Amino acid sequence: TMNNGPFAFNIYNVHQDRLMVWVQKPTSLALTKRHEPKTIGTCDVQIQQFLLEEEAWIPLTKDNKPMGHILIRIEFQSNAKFT
């Protein structure tokens, strides 16, 4: 998304599903320099990590180099319909 959330996604297998996050500079395309990369860093998070904690600082990397951390908070909600 273009903002900091919140957003929703389906989880099919909590032990295998992953969340990929790309952190980009907050500049518009018109203001980005021609060859300057927009991506600050990325992270790949196992959903299983959030079963015991609802938020965690996750390391960001770019080109296999550390680029800082991002705080990710996940709240699980059931899609089950109750009668």
Side-chain angles (χ1 to χ4, degrees):
T1 70
M2 292 301 292
N3 57 31
N4 292 329
F7 58 93
F9 55 92
N10 292 326
I11 297 173
Y12 299 99
N13 184 328
V14 73
H15 299 289
Q16 293 180 352
D17 289 353
R18 305 175 78 79
L19 173 66
M20 295 289 300
V21 177
W22 289 266
V23 178
Q24 296 185 332
K25 295 178 183 178
T27 58
S28 70
L29 291 176
L31 297 176
T32 304
K33 294 179 183 175
R34 187 171 203 186
H35 297 290
E36 182 180 340
K38 293 188 317 178
T39 302
I40 295 171
T42 62
C43 62
D44 180 5
V45 183
Q46 293 180 332
I47 298 300
Q48 180 177 335
Q49 175 177 346
F50 291 97
L51 292 178
L52 300 176
E53 56 186 346
E54 54 181 42
E55 70 179 31
W57 285 98
I58 307 296
L60 292 172
T61 59
K62 182 175 181 182
D63 300 326
N64 293 321
K65 297 177 185 172
M67 297 302 290
H69 291 79
I70 184 172
L71 180 61
I72 296 180
R73 183 175 192 280
I74 291 183
E75 178 180 326
F76 293 101
Q77 296 181 348
S78 173
N79 280 342
K81 295 182 180 180
F82 299 99
T83 57

